[in-house]
Amino acid sequence: MKKTLAISIPAYERTSGIELNILSNIDFFLENDIPIYIFDDSESDNVLQKIQKIQKIYPNILYHKNNQRLGHDKNLLNSLKKPSEDYVWVMGDSTVVINEMFPVILNEIELNSPDLLSVNKDSRIKNMKSGFFQDRNMILEHFAWHLTYTGATIYSKKVIDSCFKSIKSYPANFPQIYIIFFSIANGSSFYWIQENCLISKRNSRSYWVKNAINVFINDWSDALLSLSGTYGHDSINKATLSHSVNTKLFNWKVFLLLRMNGSLDLTIVKNNHVRISDHSQNNMFFIYLISLFPIFIIKCCYKIWQLIKI
């Protein structure tokens, strides 16, 4: 029997990416009758109104509005758990699948039946070949940073059911990372597609931007440390720094943005000195200087820069 795939989207307020993703791939969806689940955690009805319009073109969209806000982690887990298909592709509300890659993905699922299938986005992963990878520490070192992206991994129902039976708690902001690497440590197969499959159509800032230090330094480090019993210490250390190195997230512009938003001050830098130093390529003296710089001056400079840019 042919294996079934569902798209599952944990949504919060944004609609443009969802609409673009569906309409860009509408011929494929219609031909294969792919169910699309929307788990709406929004406070407004913006997502609902947009989905009702799209359903006139593609009816196989199953919309669910959370009675109470679940937050990022619980809504992501909800999106993973609820669908009943053989494979569930959880993707963010700003993720768009490149049209010609859908048949490739379905073909790989049909031929290889991987427990976990992960895909490239914006060609972020370089110099890898498509296929199965078996060395758990190698997977952690080279892929973990990329798999933080919601949409990079397709999960088999076997993995989903096993994890929800076995895992009692998840690390903050990175539940999918724990699911992926818990599963690999317990014998699940990992298949990688090197061809670029995804692009991001984000027109607003991510939920974590104002809290980047806590999310992508502290929570990220803690999420990987939770794997200590089954992964090598050196591999965990390499993976911990790999996100900052590969995304260049903690450059001087980000620290200025954090300061402008009131998310960086002297106390925060002092309390996180060692981890910030590890994750940033900037001189710590420069970061301390930014943490003391008057916020109103940074805001004025930012407004001037925006006017010049226009």
Side-chain angles (χ1 to χ4, degrees):
M1 184 180 292
K2 192 174 182 180
K3 298 177 182 69
T4 55
L5 171 69
I7 306 296
S8 191
I9 302 174
Y12 180 71
E13 300 297 353
R14 295 183 294 212
T15 62
S16 58
I18 297 174
E19 181 179 29
L20 181 60
N21 195 21
I22 295 173
L23 297 183
S24 297
N25 294 286
I26 190 66
D27 290 340
F28 178 83
F29 290 145
L30 287 168
E31 182 181 346
N32 293 274
D33 197 28
I34 302 291
I36 301 173
Y37 295 81
I38 308 291
F39 294 91
D40 187 6
D41 207 34
S42 306
E43 297 172 21
S44 72
D45 288 328
N46 293 342
V47 174
L48 172 60
Q49 291 167 5
K50 180 63 70 174
I51 293 303
Q52 286 173 334
K53 291 180 181 178
I54 301 174
Q55 281 175 324
K56 295 176 183 177
I57 305 170
Y58 188 66
N60 199 6
I61 301 177
L62 298 91
Y63 174 87
H64 174 79
K65 179 70 173 277
N66 299 330
N67 293 327
Q68 294 181 329
R69 275 220 63 203
L70 296 179
H72 169 268
D73 292 7
K74 288 183 179 179
N75 201 35
L76 189 149
L77 292 170
N78 201 37
S79 303
L80 188 60
K81 185 178 181 180
K82 295 294 185 181
S84 58
E85 284 68 24
D86 299 324
Y87 285 85
V88 180
W89 194 349
V90 177
M91 58 180 65
D93 53 15
S94 62
T95 301
V96 178
V97 181
I98 296 172
N99 185 271
E100 60 268 23
M101 292 310 298
F102 259 118
V104 174
I105 290 163
L106 279 187
N107 186 58
E108 295 296 351
I109 287 174
E110 201 62 38
L111 286 176
N112 294 300
S113 302
D115 297 320
L116 296 159
L117 186 151
S118 293
V119 301
N120 216 343
K121 167 193 172 282
D122 297 329
S123 300
R124 299 204 306 178
I125 297 287
K126 313 290 185 185
N127 304 318
M128 288 289 179
K129 292 183 178 180
S130 297
F132 283 106
F133 288 83
Q134 296 180 331
D135 185 330
R136 70 177 72 170
N137 286 301
M138 178 270 177
I139 298 170
L140 184 73
E141 291 176 25
H142 292 276
F143 293 102
W145 71 274
H146 171 69
L147 302 183
T148 60
Y149 185 78
T150 305
T153 302
I154 301 169
Y155 306 79
S156 68
K157 195 62 178 171
K158 170 188 166 185
V159 161
I160 296 168
D161 290 344
S162 175
C163 286
F164 278 100
K165 286 178 183 176
S166 305
I167 301 173
K168 304 304 179 187
S169 62
Y170 299 87
N173 286 303
F174 300 100
Q176 79 277 27
I177 290 296
Y178 193 77
I179 288 172
I180 292 166
F181 289 98
F182 172 87
S183 300
I184 292 171
N186 283 278
S188 293
S189 59
F190 175 85
Y191 192 92
W192 170 252
I193 293 180
Q194 177 62 20
E195 294 173 83
N196 197 38
C197 293
L198 305 174
I199 54 176
S200 179
K201 292 293 184 180
R202 190 181 304 282
N203 56 13
S204 61
R205 289 175 184 166
S206 296
Y207 77 97
W208 50 263
V209 168
K210 290 184 179 180
N211 206 19
I213 291 173
N214 272 337
V215 173
F216 274 107
I217 292 183
N218 294 325
D219 290 346
W220 172 238
S221 299
D222 292 342
L224 293 179
L225 283 173
S226 69
L227 301 169
S228 294
T230 49
Y231 290 84
H233 180 72
D234 288 345
S235 294
I236 288 174
N237 285 341
K238 288 177 183 177
T240 301
L241 298 179
S242 64
H243 189 277
S244 298
V245 170
N246 286 294
T247 63
K248 297 179 175 59
L249 177 59
F250 291 102
N251 57 36
W252 64 270
K253 292 179 183 177
V254 170
F255 285 109
L256 283 172
L257 180 63
L258 290 172
R259 180 60 180 158
M260 184 175 72
N261 290 330
S263 303
L264 185 77
D265 58 28
L266 186 60
T267 301
I268 291 172
V269 176
K270 281 183 176 179
N271 289 343
N272 297 279
H273 177 98
V274 174
R275 281 183 167 179
I276 290 175
S277 179
D278 288 341
H279 283 261
S280 175
Q281 306 299 310
N282 296 296
N283 187 294
M284 283 304 294
F285 173 77
F286 185 66
I287 296 172
Y288 273 103
L289 194 63
I290 292 175
S291 74
L292 293 169
F293 212 75
I295 293 175
F296 77 93
I297 294 179
I298 297 177
K299 286 184 175 180
C300 288
C301 291
Y302 181 72
K303 287 179 180 178
I304 293 171
W305 176 76
Q306 281 187 312
L307 291 172
I308 294 172
K309 196 171 87 166
I310 292 171

